[in-house]
Amino acid sequence: MNPLSWIDDELASLERRHLRRERLTHAGPQAARLLIDGRESINFGSNDYLALAADPRLGAAASDAAAGAGWGSGASPLVTGRASLHRQLEERLAEFEGTEAALTFSSGFAANLGAIAALVGPGDAVYCDRKNHASLWDGCRLSRADVRAYPHNDCRRLAELLAAAGRYRRRLIVTDGLFSMDGDLAPLAELAQLAERHRAMLLVDEAHATGVFGRNGRGTTEHFGVEDRVHVRVGTLSKALGGVGGFVAGSRSLIEWLVNRARSYVFSTAAPAAAAAAAVAALEVVRDEPQRRESLLARAKTLRDELHAQGWNTGLSASQIIPLIVGDPRRATALSAKLFQRGLFVPAIRPPTVPEGEALLRISLTAGHSEETIAALIGALKACGQSIIAV
Ligand SMILES: Cc1ncc(COP(=O)(O)O)c(C=O)c1O
C-alpha cells in the first residue's frame, strides 16, 4: 500500500467542502491589470498596495545590482551572505522607521518566526490575538513559551489573562497592526498600556501597514502615535514595498540579539542583494510620494461607503483591505467566479485562512486602481451580488 494514499482522501475531503485551493497563473508584470489563466482581469488580489511591484525604478535598481553583485548571495548573512547592499538597506530601514537599527530576513514569515522564538521560550508566556497571521502563530508555537490566545482585539480579556498569569520569566504580546483578512486595526494604544502595566514586551506586525499608514508610511504604530511604546516592529518588503523579504526594526540591542539568536536569520541564506537594492528604491518612493498612500486610503474609504450602501458586510475594515463577508465558502467561491467571468479578480478566502463561517471575498485596493476600475467593481457587485447578500 502507498503510505501517502491518505493524501488523496484528504484532498477529496477538501474538495467536497469547497476548501481545496487551486493555483492560478498570471503572465506579465504584477499590476492592477493582470492576464490570469489567459483572461485579462482587474486584479483586486495583490498586496502591492503602492503599485510598486512593477515600477521600473525598482526593476532597474534590482537589475543594476544583479549586474554588479550577481544574483545569489551564497550563504547565511552570518557567514559570507551579507552584501554591502544588505547593510545599506538595514541602515535605510532604521532611518525610515526612526529606530536605532533594523535587520532584514528572507521573508516576513521568517522575520516573525525568528523574532518571536528568539524573544520568548520555555518558562515565558506569549499572548496572541486569535486573528493574528499564521506566521505570528507559528512563531508563538515554535518558541515553546506558554501560548495564551485572546479573542480578536479584546483588550479586556487580554488584561484578565495578563493579570492571572503565573510566574513567567518574560512575557510578550504579539499582534498584527492591520489585520490581513479583515482590514481592521489593532487597538495599539490600549495594547501598549497593557504591556507597560504588566511589564510585557509588545511586538506589532506591520506587514500590511508599512508604506500605507502613518504620516511617513511607517505603519499603524505611527498612525496611533505609539512608536516609542512598541518594542518590536516587524515589517515586510513584499507588500507595499513591492519586492520580497521581511524585517525587524527596534533598538540596537534587540537587533544584536536577533543576529545571534533568530534561527530563521542565522540558518538561512541571505536574500539576493538585488532584492535589497529594489527595497532601497521602494523606500525612496514611499518617502517622496506620500500622495500614493493618501489617495489609496481616501479611495478605500469611498469604496467602503459604496459597498455599505449596497448592503455588503465589510466587518470593521478601516483600510485598503476590504472583506465582503459572505459566511459560506461555497457562496464565496461562487461570487468570486462570477466576478472573474466579468474580468474582475477578487479572491475567495476560506477556512483555515479565516475562521469557520467567515468565508469572504478579499478586496485589496492598490494605488494602481483607477476610479474607473473601482467603479467597474462596484457595478459588477451590484449586478451579481444581490442574490448573495439576500441569502
Ligand atoms: C500579517 C502578515 N505577516 C507576515 C506575513 C508574511 O510576509 P511574507 O509574505 O513577506 O513572508 C504576511 C503575509 O501574507 C502577513 O499577512
Side-chain angles (χ1 to χ4, degrees):
M1 191 192 123
N2 175 1
L4 293 181
S5 60
W6 62 270
I7 292 179
D8 293 327
D9 300 339
E10 292 292 340
L11 286 174
S13 156
L14 289 178
E15 186 89 48
R16 277 194 302 279
R17 291 179 288 143
H18 300 272
L19 296 177
R20 183 162 175 176
R21 315 277 181 109
E22 301 289 349
R23 292 179 297 168
L24 299 168
T25 308
H26 77 85
Q30 177 68 233
R33 280 185 190 276
L34 265 190
L35 199 60
I36 304 177
D37 281 355
R39 181 186 284 265
E40 159 113 0
S41 311
I42 302 173
N43 174 15
F44 287 100
S46 87
N47 300 314
D48 180 23
Y49 303 124
L50 296 182
L52 292 181
D55 189 293
R57 292 169 287 184
L58 274 64
S63 54
D64 289 353
W71 179 246
S73 58
S76 152
L78 282 192
V79 189
T80 59
R82 188 183 190 223
S84 54
L85 281 165
H86 293 114
R87 183 182 176 148
Q88 186 191 12
L89 172 59
E90 289 175 353
E91 288 167 1
R92 293 288 170 83
L93 278 168
E95 212 174 282
F96 168 70
E97 293 284 350
T99 54
E100 285 178 2
L103 184 69
T104 55
F105 289 73
S106 53
S107 71
F109 205 111
N112 276 331
L113 286 189
I116 296 172
L119 292 170
V120 284
D124 300 329
V126 59
Y127 300 83
C128 191
D129 187 293
R130 279 199 198 282
K131 287 201 168 172
N132 276 344
H133 186 256
S135 55
L136 291 169
W137 272 105
D138 288 359
C140 292
R141 294 186 182 115
L142 190 67
S143 73
R144 292 183 294 145
D146 282 354
V147 183
R148 301 274 179 257
Y150 61 92
H152 181 48
N153 278 347
D154 187 342
C155 288
R156 192 181 301 186
R157 181 66 190 133
L158 174 60
E160 284 169 7
L161 289 171
L162 285 161
R167 275 205 213 138
Y168 288 113
R169 184 183 55 158
R170 292 196 282 264
R171 294 192 288 171
L172 171 69
I173 301 168
V174 300
T175 186
D176 280 9
L178 164 54
F179 286 85
S180 56
M181 295 299 137
D182 293 72
D184 58 338
L185 308 181
L188 290 187
E190 288 91 330
L191 291 173
Q193 200 173 21
L194 283 175
E196 282 153 10
R197 189 178 313 148
H198 295 277
R199 291 205 208 113
M201 301 172 280
L202 176 59
L203 178 153
V204 176
D205 179 352
E206 296 278 23
H208 295 271
T210 300
V212 178
F213 274 81
R215 204 164 66 83
N216 297 290
R218 290 173 181 165
T220 52
T221 48
E222 186 182 30
H223 174 78
F224 285 115
V226 294
E227 288 174 89
D228 295 341
R229 302 166 70 194
V230 170
H231 313 99
V232 189
R233 226 179 292 165
V234 182
T236 54
L237 306 171
S238 54
K239 302 189 195 301
L241 298 180
V244 64
F247 66 90
V248 175
S251 69
R252 201 171 304 287
S253 59
L254 166 72
I255 298 306
E256 276 308 305
W257 179 246
L258 297 181
V259 167
N260 284 277
R261 279 291 180 272
R263 290 168 65 83
S264 56
Y265 181 79
V266 176
F267 297 106
S268 185
T269 300
V280 169
L283 287 174
E284 282 166 12
V285 180
V286 172
R287 183 195 58 203
D288 297 341
E289 299 178 11
Q291 66 277 12
R292 284 182 185 252
R293 57 181 169 276
E294 289 159 6
S295 67
L296 171 64
L297 290 180
R299 282 187 183 172
K301 164 135 189 14
T302 309
L303 176 56
R304 289 195 307 272
D305 291 346
E306 294 272 1
L307 295 171
H308 291 159
Q310 279 187 20
W312 292 99
N313 174 7
T314 64
L316 295 175
S317 166
S319 70
Q320 77 284 10
I321 300 170
I322 308 174
L324 299 177
I325 302 166
V326 297
D328 174 39
R330 192 181 327 204
R331 269 196 274 172
T333 46
L335 180 58
S336 179
K338 276 191 192 174
L339 292 172
F340 192 56
Q341 279 161 12
R342 291 172 170 254
L344 298 154
F345 176 67
V346 187
I349 310 289
R350 295 161 282 168
T353 308
V354 290
E356 290 293 338
E358 291 184 29
L360 54 89
L361 261 70
R362 179 179 183 267
I363 302 171
S364 173
L365 208 61
T366 77
H369 291 121
S370 62
E371 291 192 353
E372 294 71 49
T373 53
I374 297 172
L377 175 65
I378 293 169
L381 281 168
K382 193 166 190 177
C384 52
Q386 292 309 321
S387 56
I388 305 272
I389 295 175
V391 180

